Amino acid sequence: MKILYNQQQLNKLLLFGIAYVIIGFSALAMATSGYLVGFTMIGLLYIGQFIFVKNRGYVILTKQSIKTNGLFKKEIETKNIRSVTYFAGDYVIKTDKKELVINTNFVDQASMLPLKDYFDNLEIQA
């Protein structure tokens, strides 16, 4: 099951990206300070991040594992999970060696109920 990113977060990435690109190109057109042209690169990075996370889910839940997608991917096998806690809007999943945090502010509202059901039905071995 794929848990999607919050659409507001995605829109913010795109908005910041476009704004930085506009600032960078306007600084280039006005031939002002050279360091403002770096905003174009920052904007392109924001737009690249938008494209990257738009095509992938935030979290992929299967019966065998929980995997977060991002620049640094993390994966935890469900058979190794020792505890799942919900605190301050985050699901904290712990094993003996790893810890995975799922920030629910980044989760799309339509995906919240399946996420909650997944953790409610997850069998944790003591």
Side-chain angles (χ1 to χ4, degrees):
M1 166 182 2
K2 187 186 283 189
I3 304 297
L4 302 175
Y5 272 94
N6 186 347
Q7 194 62 40
Q8 285 181 323
Q9 296 290 336
L10 292 175
N11 290 341
K12 286 178 187 177
L13 285 174
L14 186 60
L15 181 68
F16 285 140
I18 291 170
Y20 280 128
V21 167
I22 289 171
I23 291 170
F25 280 132
S26 65
L28 184 64
M30 289 189 264
T32 59
S33 178
Y35 70 89
L36 287 178
V37 178
F39 278 98
T40 304
M41 193 60 174
I42 293 170
L44 291 175
L45 289 173
Y46 269 111
I47 293 171
Q49 184 181 6
F50 167 79
I51 293 168
F52 181 77
V53 298
K54 178 76 174 168
N55 295 329
R56 292 170 172 78
Y58 177 47
V59 179
I60 296 176
L61 305 171
T62 62
K63 288 187 177 186
Q64 293 81 20
S65 66
I66 301 171
K67 182 169 67 169
T68 59
N69 289 323
L71 201 54
F72 304 106
K73 295 181 180 186
K74 279 190 172 181
E75 184 173 4
I76 291 181
E77 294 182 3
T78 55
K79 65 182 178 182
N80 298 332
I81 293 176
R82 296 296 175 232
S83 69
V84 175
T85 56
Y86 181 78
F87 178 73
D90 294 341
Y91 281 101
V92 181
I93 303 119
K94 293 183 181 181
T95 66
D96 291 334
K97 298 179 182 178
K98 292 184 182 179
E99 180 176 299
L100 180 70
V101 178
I102 299 174
N103 187 344
T104 58
N105 292 325
F106 295 149
V107 174
D108 189 40
Q109 290 300 318
S111 299
M112 282 297 292
L113 186 60
L115 180 69
K116 185 179 182 317
D117 288 342
Y118 179 84
F119 287 120
D120 287 344
N121 296 328
L122 186 66
E123 296 177 11
I124 299 173
Q125 303 191 5

